[in-house]
Amino acid sequence: MKLKHTPSEIVAQLLIDLDLSSDPEETGTGTVSDFPIFIAFFPDTPNNSLCISDTDGVLLSRDMVEGETVDRYGLQIRSRVKTTEYTSGYNKLAEMRQVFSEDVLDNQVEIESTQYIIHNLRVTGTILVSGKESPQSKRNLFSLNLLATIHQL
């Protein structure tokens, strides 16, 4: 099914709704505790932030009752933190991983009057330590890959 918004936009809104992140437009440049989330790219500031991107997903099958194709949308969430805050970048994704497995089940999200149900978020591996951003900043980078089942209402 075609979605009005991208899966990354929908899951970013869920992260904001669950207080796992903040909207950069509402928090300005954000604070260390906010971890504002950006779609598809990291701006130069703030240091401590999140980025979510759409990646390769999985086409599961066709629903036998309604004939609708079931997609699992691929996503990657990256965290970036100052050089001195290595642990906080890793722990932010570890917190999300736990919430995804325990608290995300048929969560409803609304973006610009369009409603979605996020049936689940399945983490597909461990947290990847991506090293340092280079060449100037040397901020620490981490990533988490997942599959999302989303339905537009």
Side-chain angles (χ1 to χ4, degrees):
M1 173 183 206
K2 184 177 181 224
L3 303 173
K4 183 176 179 183
H5 297 89
T6 65
S8 58
E9 291 171 311
I10 297 165
V11 174
Q13 185 60 54
L14 175 68
L15 296 176
I16 293 166
D17 292 350
L18 294 174
D19 292 326
L20 292 170
S21 187
S22 61
D23 184 338
E25 293 180 13
E26 292 181 13
T27 59
T29 58
T31 64
V32 172
S33 62
D34 285 336
F35 272 91
I37 190 160
F38 299 91
I39 308 295
F41 76 99
F42 279 117
D44 290 335
T45 61
N47 284 322
N48 294 13
S49 55
L50 299 168
C51 175
I52 186 168
S53 303
D54 297 291
T55 63
D56 195 26
V58 177
L59 176 61
L60 289 180
S61 62
R62 240 179 58 187
D63 180 290
M64 296 303 287
V65 177
E66 298 177 17
E68 186 177 324
T69 301
V70 178
D71 291 315
R72 294 201 63 155
Y73 300 99
L75 297 160
Q76 182 178 69
I77 301 173
R78 292 174 286 155
S79 69
R80 179 182 71 187
V81 295
K82 293 189 295 188
T83 303
T84 58
E85 297 184 15
Y86 182 90
T87 303
S88 68
Y90 184 93
N91 286 344
K92 184 52 142 174
L93 292 182
E95 175 189 15
M96 289 182 175
R97 184 177 169 176
Q98 183 174 353
V99 168
F100 296 163
S101 67
E102 296 175 0
D103 299 333
V104 177
L105 181 63
D106 295 332
N107 295 60
Q108 193 164 333
V109 171
E110 184 172 328
I111 303 173
E112 300 170 345
S113 301
T114 302
Q115 296 184 346
Y116 300 93
I117 298 256
I118 299 175
H119 295 289
N120 60 50
L121 295 175
R122 183 177 149 249
V123 176
T124 60
T126 60
I127 296 168
L128 176 64
V129 179
S130 303
K132 303 263 185 207
E133 190 178 51
S134 59
Q136 298 88 1
S137 77
K138 301 203 182 329
R139 295 177 281 201
N140 296 296
L141 298 169
F142 305 88
S143 62
L144 186 65
N145 295 312
L146 52 136
L147 294 170
T149 308
I150 302 170
H151 181 81
Q152 183 174 321
L153 298 178

